Amino acid sequence: MYAICGWFGAVGDATTSEAVLDAMLGDCGGPRGPGGVCVGVSIGQFAALAPTQGNGERDRVFADSRVMVTVSETVREAETGRPLAARDLADLYHEHGDELPKRLNGSFALAVIDRERQRLLLAVDRAGNRPLYVTTTSDAIAFSSRLNALRRIPGFQAEIPHQALFDYLYLHMIPSPGTIYTGVEKLLPAQSISFSSAGREARFYWQMPYRDDNPARFKDLREEFRELLPQVVERAAGDQKAVGAFLSGGTDSSAVAGTLRQVRDHAVSTYSIGFAAQGYDEMDYARIAARHFQTHSNEYYVTPEDVVESIPAVAAYCDEPFANASIVPAYLCARFARFDGTTRLLADDGGDEIFGGNERYAAQRVFERYGRVPYLLRKGLIEPLTALPFGSRLPPVLKARSYIAQANVPLPDRLETYNFLQRTPLTEVFDPDFLAAIDTESPLENLREVYARAASADKVNRLMHLDLKITLADNDLRKINQACGLAGVDVAYPLLDDALLDFAARVPPRMQIKGTQLRWFFKAALKDFLPQDIIRKRKHGFRLPVGIWMAEHTQLRELTGDSIAALRRRHILNPAYIDWVQAQHAGEHASYYGVMLWVMVMLEQWLAHHGH
């Protein structure tokens, strides 16, 4: 679903290219048919595949004597809002050239072959909803929405660099533009890349238009938001009849589900996941929202047996190693919805990153206050006093030392001070030969680049900009897209509609967060729409109790043990470090150290299922 793939250049002779095309399409979701076409051109062969699921596939691939276009789904013209088929995109490309992506709205992956100028243009949407991988061989530039399809290109070397494994273990996923394979990159949100005889040119065609000092009144912004919310939800639902919504009971999922109920003017299906583990289950809030909006509520409780069954399937389906454990309940929820007859789910992802909902935004404001204390007072009095030997016996002094130590680390590095790989010397974590081959600063450099690129001087906006890339595009969207893809369900993200992104960027930071109160604008604007219990609830997060279950459930414990034993033989991690993590997990910290254990398990599972 939503897959495009192909190449610019030559891939063997005609027979070889036909076979490669069929294999790539199989990896992208289905056999070649009405939704796919292979077009021969004078500069070689070009294969373009439209989506194989849903309606209107023929509108997503087009070729004439001058240009060839394939797009993952129907997009809209930014200026007029009219739907655009691939033929329309070709016309716009003739008019605007490489400026085409900035004139589009919607979720998409796009490829354009300019036959006259012998150029390839690739692009993805503003939020990075749809992935696109690209690699260069001696004879072609190949691209695909699914990474595994690129392995079908003759001459492709599925080499895994140590750096990719380190980045994964550090961030629990591999951040774009990097990938698990040498020589393959994935496009960043709102990025376009063109290839021609002049070389490769990458650029961002759009960025969040933050307005740090927007003088707009709350009342006016609230009215605009309340008018916009039904529009973006209706666009996301489209003409699908069997459309439902994820419902966790948080403010975002409740707002999306409630608005879907409002625009459809009849009861809609919502799908909620629960866990029979203390401190993890939020089903009560999902029920509150379902009753309030009178939805057809569907509930599924995840079991350890479900996790054991799902791990191999998830690892085999994921494009790269991926350790966000909530992909398992997301997959089970999507599968549950598919069995119920739902063909499209609306997800609530993006709300935290555009409306100030992540807890670290408030926490970092507290740390930033220390930087406003005069330098001489900090360095000449406060820090010397807290460093005196007697302070180690006083809890308030110890707390002050911890606060000062973190406050003195600049953003965005400060966000990673609790990272597993920041809390233990790397020489103790990794095999020496492995460690010698990597750049240990690479993950932080990735964060720094995105943080610095934000078109804002305000720290909250900069943090949200960072999370739009790292937390959302690299993590949560990858999680939901792959979970729904594995389950066979379409997914859309109304809170990442282009119009809502533009609007949210105009909400000034003073309204996004007040003091330490997260999501102030969002909650205040919807206080008469959402149930008050949900407005007041503390942010919980969608967490799988995997650490506890790996300690308590026999089958899951055995799968974990077998995976860790296999990972030891790869000489990535220091065996003593693996022993230490397992010992901590077996003790009183199963939930905390279960996270790192899960990261190791999913790495081994992915490597094994992908032939490494």
Side-chain angles (χ1 to χ4, degrees):
M1 296 167 66
Y2 300 118
I4 66 171
C5 63
W7 59 83
F8 171 51
V11 177
D13 56 22
T15 301
T16 300
S17 65
E18 286 283 326
V20 171
L21 176 56
D22 285 338
M24 291 181 75
L25 182 52
D27 288 332
C28 286
R32 182 150 45 138
V37 61
C38 178
V39 183
V41 299
S42 58
I43 56 174
Q45 289 91 35
F46 167 63
L49 308 179
T52 59
Q53 309 250 350
N55 297 319
E57 294 92 341
R58 292 183 183 275
D59 293 332
R60 298 176 194 169
V61 62
F62 171 78
D64 63 16
S65 62
R66 299 170 60 195
V67 70
M68 302 183 339
V69 178
T70 182
V71 64
S72 61
E73 52 218 281
T74 302
V75 294
R76 303 182 307 279
E77 188 174 22
E79 186 176 346
T80 65
R82 70 182 176 101
L84 300 172
R87 178 184 292 273
D88 302 315
L89 294 174
D91 292 338
L92 285 174
Y93 177 79
H94 290 318
E95 184 177 357
H96 301 288
D98 286 0
E99 299 296 308
L100 170 64
K102 69 169 56 177
R103 297 182 175 275
L104 307 180
N105 280 170
S107 301
F108 63 86
L110 169 73
V112 179
I113 288 286
D114 186 329
R115 298 176 62 182
E116 292 184 327
R117 299 165 64 200
Q118 296 193 15
R119 291 171 61 86
L120 168 66
L121 173 66
L122 304 174
V124 295
D125 60 78
R126 298 179 182 186
N129 285 327
R130 305 306 182 203
L132 193 59
Y133 295 88
V134 60
T135 190
T136 301
T137 70
S138 59
D139 298 314
I141 300 163
F143 57 88
S144 178
S145 301
R146 295 303 309 273
L147 178 57
N148 211 45
L150 293 181
R151 297 180 62 168
R152 304 291 187 170
I153 300 294
F156 181 85
Q157 299 294 318
E159 296 179 354
I160 298 178
H162 287 177
Q163 189 66 54
L165 298 174
F166 177 80
D167 291 351
Y168 163 81
L169 289 165
Y170 192 99
L171 292 171
H172 305 176
M173 50 76 185
I174 301 173
S176 55
T179 71
I180 188 63
Y181 294 131
T182 300
V184 181
E185 66 177 308
K186 50 181 176 279
L187 272 67
L188 298 161
Q191 187 180 49
S192 64
I193 304 180
S194 61
F195 299 87
S196 69
S197 59
R200 171 190 179 277
E201 181 184 356
R203 61 176 173 167
F204 296 102
Y205 62 83
W206 178 88
Q207 64 181 155
M208 283 287 283
Y210 291 114
R211 292 278 305 278
D212 294 358
D213 300 315
N214 188 355
R217 299 182 303 170
F218 168 75
K219 178 184 176 184
D220 296 333
L221 290 173
R222 176 189 178 277
E223 290 179 359
E224 185 179 356
F225 177 56
R226 294 294 291 268
E227 290 178 5
L228 192 56
L229 190 57
Q231 296 173 25
V232 301
V233 169
E234 192 164 27
R235 269 199 293 269
D239 58 2
Q240 294 279 329
K241 293 182 179 180
V243 62
F246 287 105
L247 181 58
S248 67
T251 52
D252 287 335
S253 67
S254 299
V256 169
T259 305
L260 179 62
R261 170 68 173 85
Q262 183 184 62
V263 299
R264 285 296 167 104
D265 197 29
H266 61 74
V268 296
S269 294
T270 53
Y271 300 90
S272 305
I273 288 290
F275 310 102
Q278 187 175 0
Y280 288 84
D281 187 45
E282 286 201 303
M283 190 68 82
D284 286 345
Y285 288 102
R287 290 167 181 162
I288 289 171
R291 287 195 298 267
H292 182 80
F293 294 116
Q294 297 180 320
T295 70
H296 287 311
S297 178
N298 300 272
E299 301 177 359
Y300 186 87
Y301 267 82
V302 177
T303 67
E305 289 78 12
D306 287 327
V307 177
V308 172
E309 174 198 346
S310 300
I311 285 175
V314 168
Y317 187 83
C318 283
D319 288 310
E320 302 177 82
F322 188 72
N324 184 334
S326 60
I327 191 174
V328 170
Y331 158 62
L332 294 169
C333 190
R335 188 179 68 175
F336 180 45
R338 180 174 63 83
F339 288 159
D340 192 47
T342 293
T343 57
R344 174 174 292 182
L345 281 168
L346 302 191
D348 64 299
D349 298 82
D352 285 337
E353 291 77 18
I354 65 174
F355 288 117
N358 287 323
E359 291 186 0
R360 56 182 165 273
Y361 303 154
Q364 296 311 314
R365 275 193 162 186
V366 174
F367 287 119
E368 287 296 302
R369 290 172 187 162
Y370 185 66
R372 294 196 289 269
V373 176
Y375 179 84
L376 290 178
L377 183 58
R378 283 185 282 129
K379 300 299 181 181
L381 180 61
I382 297 175
E383 293 181 20
L385 282 177
T386 58
L388 291 173
F390 72 87
S392 60
R393 299 190 298 271
L394 301 174
V397 176
L398 291 175
K399 188 174 183 179
R401 286 180 182 176
S402 175
Y403 170 82
I404 291 169
Q406 291 186 69
N408 281 332
V409 177
L411 287 171
D413 296 32
R414 190 190 304 140
L415 301 174
E416 298 300 322
T417 53
Y418 287 97
N419 190 300
F420 278 101
L421 299 191
Q422 289 285 2
R423 299 177 70 83
T424 304
L426 295 181
T427 53
E428 297 179 13
V429 177
F430 292 99
D431 177 273
D433 292 337
F434 177 91
L435 189 60
I438 62 171
D439 174 8
T440 60
E441 287 290 298
S442 176
L444 287 175
E445 289 292 346
N446 193 298
L447 272 60
R448 292 166 188 158
E449 186 276 329
V450 183
Y451 183 79
R453 184 162 33 93
S456 172
D458 185 88
K459 296 294 176 63
V460 170
N461 279 342
R462 285 188 163 209
L463 288 169
M464 288 194 294
H465 183 263
L466 174 64
D467 277 344
L468 278 170
K469 191 269 187 188
I470 294 291
T471 303
L472 194 66
D474 282 342
N475 200 323
D476 288 342
L477 294 182
R478 207 178 301 177
K479 172 188 72 179
I480 298 297
N481 282 338
Q482 294 184 133
C484 289
L486 179 57
V489 177
D490 184 9
V491 62
Y493 304 94
L495 299 185
L496 294 175
D497 187 281
D498 298 284
L500 195 56
L501 290 176
D502 285 333
F503 169 81
R506 291 189 287 108
V507 177
R510 71 177 188 278
M511 290 188 198
Q512 296 281 30
I513 299 174
K514 287 205 171 185
T516 58
Q517 185 178 351
L518 300 171
R519 306 184 69 112
W520 184 86
F521 171 81
F522 187 90
K523 291 181 177 180
L526 296 177
K527 68 178 182 180
D528 62 340
F529 180 67
L530 295 176
Q532 287 304 300
D533 285 341
I534 289 175
I535 289 281
R536 291 191 296 262
K537 77 182 284 288
R538 181 182 176 87
K539 184 175 176 59
H540 184 272
F542 188 51
R543 300 180 301 150
L544 178 71
V546 65
I548 296 172
W549 286 352
M550 283 193 297
E552 296 177 349
H553 187 263
T554 301
Q555 285 182 289
L556 188 53
R557 188 167 61 246
E558 290 174 353
L559 185 151
T560 300
D562 292 343
S563 299
I564 296 300
L567 185 64
R568 285 176 183 271
R569 295 190 288 271
R570 296 185 184 274
H571 304 291
I572 298 170
L573 295 166
N574 188 325
Y577 179 72
I578 297 176
D579 292 340
W580 180 77
V581 171
Q582 289 182 304
Q584 296 298 314
H585 175 257
E588 299 179 357
H589 307 288
S591 180
Y592 180 78
Y593 286 97
V595 173
M596 193 60 188
L597 209 57
W598 177 266
V599 172
M600 297 178 191
V601 167
M602 294 310 291
L603 175 59
E604 175 55 37
Q605 288 284 319
W606 189 91
L607 292 170
H609 280 90
H610 290 263
H612 298 287

